[in-house]
Every structure is written in structure tokens, then in C-alpha cells.
Amino acid sequence: MSELEQIKALLEQGDVTALTRYLVEHYPYGLVGERDALVTLFMKAGLSHADAVRWASRLEDEGYAHHLPGASSRWVFTSKPVSFAELARIVKGEWDDFVGKEDEALEEAYEFIQHHLGVDREVAEEVYRGLEAAGYASVVYQEAPELNRERVLFEFPEVFLKQV
């Protein structure tokens, strides 16, 4: 069965969890494209425009699909519902002061995401992968009197913050 046939079958079953699992597995770094990319994928799988819009909206409203606009616009999928808008607000207010138990930059970022969004390690990695693929997160070396080491730099573009 082709990818589009599998997506269509999952859409016809109406199982949000199974569809999301499939999208996370087959698009671990997200679906590249603007706001209409997810609708287009569902239409290619055989849905009418109205049904494709309904499904894309449902996944987004339930917190499984997240459009990240910007230079590398994409849809990111998470196996459990999360709020990227909430994460952006938290990062803006608390990330600079956060020092996790881990010295490795990615581990510290996963820990932060897990703690603040109340998700498990797997979902924290999905969130980070999506942010990184969209250009919202990267590992940089930070030099400061109390901190000289690699750290994740979160940068949410203005276009995203206006949606928050």
C-alpha cells in the first residue's frame, strides 16, 4: 500500500491517534510547506477539499499538528497533544534562567520541554526535532561568567510570536 493510500485508510477509519502516529513516523522532521501543505497532503490522499480542511483543523485543534511558519515553514507532528504557543511563552520567560541536571545541550532542552509541557522524553524529542527542522532551535556555544558550554538557542520568529 502506498503512503497516500495508507493516509487515506487512516483518515477513513477516523482514528486520530493512528493517523498521528503514522504522520510522526513518516514525517519525523515535519511536512515541509506553508499553511495549506497538510490540506494538500490529505487531498492527494483522496479527500475533498472540505474534508481535508476539516481533518487538518482537527489535528491542529487537538494539538497533534503544528504549523511553524518562517524561513523553513513546515507542519510538525507530535504523538501526544502539545502547545507550541505555550512552549514559546515559557521559553521566552524561563529558558535563560533554566539550568538542568544534564550538561549536554540537547538533554537539557529535552528536560526543559518535558518539565514545562508535561510530556515524556519521546514527545520532547519530537517537539525539539520539529523546532530544529523549522530553524527555531539550534545548539550554540555560550560564553558567560557562570556558563561556558554548548546550549540550545531557541529563536521563535516574529511571524510565529504574533500567532502566540
Side-chain angles (χ1 to χ4, degrees):
M1 187 181 294
S2 77
E3 179 180 311
L4 293 176
E5 289 171 334
Q6 288 179 319
I7 291 172
K8 184 176 183 181
L10 291 167
L11 289 164
E12 288 173 348
Q13 290 172 13
D15 186 345
V16 174
T17 305
L19 175 62
T20 302
R21 231 179 289 129
Y22 182 87
L23 293 171
V24 168
E25 183 179 319
H26 286 83
Y27 299 95
Y29 294 96
L31 175 66
V32 177
E34 293 299 326
R35 203 111 183 63
D36 61 347
L38 187 57
V39 170
T40 301
L41 176 67
F42 292 160
M43 288 176 64
K44 285 180 182 176
L47 291 186
S48 69
H49 182 264
D51 286 339
V53 168
R54 213 173 355 268
W55 266 102
S57 296
R58 181 176 178 192
L59 290 176
E60 189 172 23
D61 291 345
E62 292 185 24
Y64 294 105
H66 316 274
H67 182 254
L68 303 180
S72 184
S73 292
R74 69 190 57 239
W75 281 92
V76 173
F77 308 105
T78 54
S79 56
K80 293 190 178 133
V82 297
S83 170
F84 276 74
E86 180 182 342
L87 178 61
R89 278 192 295 274
I90 293 167
V91 164
K92 212 172 177 184
E94 298 184 34
W95 176 245
D96 289 341
D97 298 325
F98 181 80
V99 179
K101 298 174 199 153
E102 302 291 337
D103 283 341
E104 187 181 323
L106 289 181
E107 293 299 322
E108 185 177 43
Y110 299 155
E111 185 182 321
F112 180 86
I113 294 167
Q114 281 180 264
H115 174 74
H116 284 86
L117 290 183
V119 296
D120 61 23
R121 164 71 183 236
E122 183 180 334
V123 175
E125 287 181 28
E126 292 167 3
V127 168
Y128 181 82
R129 243 191 334 265
L131 291 174
E132 183 179 47
Y136 291 14
S138 58
V139 176
V140 298
Y141 188 81
Q142 282 192 322
E143 291 186 48
E146 69 283 343
L147 184 72
N148 289 312
R149 65 181 180 93
E150 285 190 338
R151 189 120 201 257
V152 170
L153 174 65
F154 289 104
E155 295 181 290
F156 293 95
E158 280 302 311
V159 68
F160 179 76
L161 293 174
K162 287 178 183 174
Q163 295 177 1
V164 175

